[in-house]
Amino acid sequence: MEMSELTALLTPDGLRLLDEVGTISSTGEVAQAVSRLRGAGHSPDLVSAVVGQAHLRAKGAAKFGGFAERMLFTRAGLEQATRLGVAARHAGRMRRAGIERVADLGCGIGGDALAFAGAGIAVSAVDADEVTAAIAAYNLAPFGGDAQVRQGTAESFDVAKVDAVWLDPARRTAGHSETRRVVASDYSPSLDWAFSLAERMPVGIKLGPAHDRDALPADAEAQWVSADGSVVELVLWSGILARGGVRRSALVIRGDESHELTAGADAEDADVRKLGAFLHEPDGAVIRARLIGDAARSLDAGMLDPKIAYLTGDAAVTSPFVQSFRVREVTAANPKAINTMLRANDIGTLEIKKRGMDVDPAAFRKKLHLRGAASATLILTRVGDRRMAILADRV
């Protein structure tokens, strides 16, 4: 979104028109809306802004639920924003630590700042981009003076004014639509500056979940977060925001429920076992946090292969930190053997999962004959050099 479009939108008539248009879900609806609004005599800037926002509001519902209907977005800002349910947990940690004033430096469209303000924490939100800061100010306007927004750099903010800082360093090139990832040395603000600040005061630093573990500060709590099956972030917590004795954490969120696995260090790997009656796939946050061994021991399970994140055992148990499967049958991982197994089990509906094998599940599916009435999960993996196909049922 350009400033000319935002200026056209942020008027009583512009916002009224946006509310009248509602949400737009498909590209076909976008074209129809543009034609209709241009035919009604609205300016190109206003039409572009209204239709763009209506489309982004439809997409924003996945992260912000019903709140998206009153928010403004940029395409890049929505892609990079924290999901509201995850942001609420950031705010909860701040509240439990007694934080009353927080600075959100690199606030984007204001996703985390919304959660902080909603939790009763006074927020000073800062973003370097003029349009993004204006959009954040609009989104935070319902909180009045408890949520202040200004344009500026993270480094220029006087952190003495707040009790804690939330940092979401820009990990992509500047822009409101098409952006590309940058290497860690080019983050803004720099990680050296962020880590130095974290040594002096309570700070939460949001990073990508695949961030180089060797580059993490040794004295920070590193928390990997997954939401509904996807690992969405790594957060480093310092000062009173970090929990005593916790250096590794996997927070698993599914719907409104959350579960956490914590440890003082990377977990020792579990022993390797032969395939048992059950196969368990650890959640991605557990894998990233390197707490697979702790998850395995809680299930009386071991590693199927020392280099692959599948667990196995005979105990009929599961946990929030894994997806569990009851093993039906095992065969060689080639289409002929698998089709024989599928036919014998009357399988017509099949979920395909894989680890440790260079296989495209969508392409592999085309080689299978699925004509039965039953359903199952096919797990393609290997133990050492042996490639195997495991037919299983979700527990």
Side-chain angles (χ1 to χ4, degrees):
M1 175 181 283
E2 300 301 322
M3 182 54 75
S4 60
E5 296 174 343
L6 183 60
T7 301
L9 179 63
L10 292 180
T11 65
D13 288 342
L15 294 172
R16 188 180 305 113
L17 183 61
L18 176 58
D19 289 338
E20 290 173 358
V21 169
T23 56
I24 297 176
S25 301
S26 69
T27 54
E29 290 175 332
V30 167
Q32 293 172 6
V34 169
S35 178
R36 184 176 71 255
L37 295 178
R38 291 290 288 123
H42 297 292
S43 70
D45 280 340
L46 180 57
V47 171
S48 177
V50 166
V51 174
Q53 288 302 314
H55 194 35
L56 289 172
R57 281 181 169 181
K59 292 183 175 181
K63 284 189 173 181
F64 294 96
F67 288 96
E69 295 180 2
R70 64 147 307 272
M71 294 176 67
L72 298 181
F73 302 96
T74 65
R75 178 176 168 185
L78 176 57
E79 289 176 353
Q80 298 165 43
T82 304
R83 302 183 189 202
L84 193 57
V86 177
R89 287 167 172 82
H90 300 158
R93 182 182 287 234
M94 294 272 184
R95 286 285 296 175
R96 290 190 296 274
I99 301 301
E100 296 180 353
R101 299 170 301 164
V102 62
D104 184 349
L105 305 182
C107 66
I109 61 171
D112 280 292
L114 279 169
F116 296 144
I121 302 171
V123 184
S124 295
V126 179
D127 199 274
D129 181 75
E130 182 181 17
V131 170
T132 303
I135 286 176
Y138 176 88
N139 290 337
L140 290 163
F143 294 100
D146 291 333
Q148 300 180 353
V149 183
R150 72 173 180 86
Q151 181 191 2
T153 64
E155 297 90 337
S156 67
F157 184 83
D158 182 5
V159 296
K161 298 177 179 179
V162 296
D163 306 319
V165 169
W166 174 258
L167 275 169
D168 187 355
R171 299 182 293 280
R172 304 185 74 91
T173 52
H176 307 141
S177 55
E178 297 295 338
T179 61
R180 61 175 176 79
R181 294 187 182 278
V182 298
V183 296
S185 58
D186 291 332
Y187 286 3
S188 179
S190 72
L191 289 182
D192 285 343
W193 183 86
F195 292 166
S196 175
L197 181 64
E199 292 176 353
R200 307 194 304 271
M201 67 182 300
V203 175
I205 305 173
K206 176 183 172 181
L207 299 171
H211 191 85
D212 182 6
R213 293 170 55 92
D214 293 335
L216 301 180
D219 56 350
E221 176 188 336
Q223 181 186 54
W224 282 263
V225 181
S226 73
D228 298 323
S230 297
V231 186
V232 294
E233 65 181 25
L234 159 64
V235 181
L236 302 180
W237 300 101
S238 76
I240 59 174
L241 296 174
R243 293 167 292 184
V246 176
R247 288 295 176 266
R248 296 290 180 263
S249 163
L251 177 62
V252 178
I253 303 170
R254 295 190 183 277
D256 295 330
E257 295 186 357
S258 64
H259 303 270
E260 191 173 22
L261 192 61
T262 63
D266 294 355
E268 181 180 352
D269 286 341
D271 294 336
V272 175
R273 296 188 188 180
K274 292 183 178 180
L275 180 64
F278 295 90
L279 187 77
H280 309 282
E281 180 180 29
D283 184 90
V286 174
I287 296 171
R288 292 285 188 186
R290 293 187 184 169
L291 298 179
I292 299 173
D294 287 348
R297 284 180 281 275
S298 73
L299 299 168
D300 190 20
M303 301 290 293
L304 185 61
D305 180 278
K307 296 181 180 180
I308 298 175
Y310 278 139
L311 309 175
T312 188
D314 292 315
V317 293
T318 187
S319 87
F321 305 112
V322 299
Q323 296 180 69
S324 297
F325 304 85
R326 185 187 298 273
V327 176
R328 280 202 209 182
E329 192 174 336
V330 183
T331 191
N334 64 71
K336 182 178 180 181
I338 293 171
N339 278 321
T340 299
M341 180 173 64
L342 296 176
R343 186 168 53 251
N345 286 272
D346 194 34
I347 303 300
T349 302
L350 189 68
E351 173 191 27
I352 302 177
K353 302 179 72 66
K354 62 102 175 183
R355 283 190 184 277
M357 287 178 55
D358 187 14
V359 173
D360 178 357
F364 194 81
R365 181 183 296 276
K366 296 177 182 178
K367 302 175 182 179
L368 304 180
H369 305 148
L370 300 170
R371 302 191 181 100
S375 61
T377 298
L378 181 68
I379 301 168
L380 303 172
T381 191
R382 63 174 175 80
V383 175
D385 294 331
R386 180 193 173 197
R387 293 156 58 94
M388 60 170 59
I390 303 168
L391 191 67
D393 298 299
R394 281 185 174 272
V395 174

